[in-house]
Amino acid sequence: MTDRYAEQTTEVLGLTVGTALVQTDMQSSIIRNASGTFECSSHQIKIKVGFDPITIYVGKEFTQGSCAFKEIYAHEIRHAEIYKDFSRQAVIEASAQMQSRFNTLGPIKGPIGSTHERVTTELTERWTPYLKRLLNKSEAQQRLVDTRQEYERVASSCNGEVLKIIQTSKNR
């Protein structure tokens, strides 16, 4: 996973993994005509979008509470914040798009059994991929955090403690 952002020659001291999550839930109210051939339905759609879980790893060589651990952890928190920011942005953007689509739609009419399936198919084929694309835009922002300069800054922090630990672990 480390080659997602860092150059392959860079020592990776920590890692933050956000698992993109898109879940949909739909409640439907369906009214059928007397002959049982036609229906009219209204749907309430709930969507959960974000990164869940967001997991932060710090190399086991770095003792929790040490200056080196805190410095690496602070860097990883920046990645976690990007995931959270993109989640919020995705919700705002998707809400506007989905409200534009569904709020003006009104009740859906069609043959018995077709209306719920039509909305479910649209959620699965259109909206879920769209939401995942929104979340995946975070990857470009993540790469901006992992610059050579940032890695050098973290590695040289704490009066050289990080570099000493890296060298010690390489020599084992």
Side-chain angles (χ1 to χ4, degrees):
M1 292 182 66
T2 59
D3 63 347
R4 284 175 36 200
Y5 311 121
E7 297 174 17
Q8 294 205 354
T9 58
T10 303
E11 293 288 332
V12 177
L13 312 174
L15 182 66
T16 300
V17 179
T19 303
L21 170 74
V22 177
Q23 288 180 335
T24 60
D25 182 40
M26 183 172 58
Q27 302 295 319
S28 302
S29 297
I30 300 174
I31 300 172
R32 294 179 173 91
N33 68 354
S35 66
T37 58
F38 197 76
E39 67 186 19
C40 180
S41 63
S42 177
H43 307 276
Q44 180 182 21
I45 301 167
K46 293 181 183 178
I47 298 179
K48 183 176 179 182
V49 178
F51 293 91
D52 189 24
I54 297 174
T55 307
I56 296 177
Y57 300 95
V58 175
K60 63 183 177 186
E61 304 86 358
F62 304 100
T63 306
Q64 190 166 356
S66 68
C67 178
F69 183 95
K70 289 177 185 175
E71 195 66 35
I72 296 163
Y73 188 78
H75 170 89
E76 297 306 323
I77 287 292
R78 289 174 59 196
H79 288 292
E81 290 301 320
I82 289 170
Y83 284 132
K84 290 177 185 178
D85 290 345
F86 268 82
S87 295
R88 286 188 283 273
Q89 291 171 12
V91 167
I92 291 168
E93 185 175 328
S95 291
Q97 294 291 324
M98 294 184 84
Q99 285 176 9
S100 173
R101 165 70 176 113
F102 289 108
N103 284 355
T104 59
L105 190 60
I108 299 171
K109 301 169 187 132
I112 290 286
S114 68
T115 60
H116 181 82
E117 183 61 34
R118 207 160 72 211
V119 176
T120 300
T121 299
E122 183 172 343
L123 287 173
T124 302
E125 293 178 3
R126 177 181 178 184
W127 293 105
T128 298
Y130 164 73
L131 292 164
K132 286 183 179 180
R133 283 192 306 275
L134 285 179
L135 293 175
N136 286 336
K137 288 181 181 179
S138 69
E139 297 301 317
Q141 193 74 29
Q142 296 290 6
R143 282 187 283 282
L144 296 177
V145 173
D146 288 333
T147 63
R148 180 183 305 272
Q149 296 82 4
E150 173 65 2
Y151 280 159
E152 289 171 359
R153 184 194 68 74
V154 172
S156 64
S157 65
C158 303
N159 297 318
E161 178 185 339
V162 175
L163 284 173
K164 288 176 196 167
I165 293 170
I166 293 170
Q167 291 305 318
T168 302
S169 67
K170 279 184 176 180
N171 295 330
R172 286 184 187 167

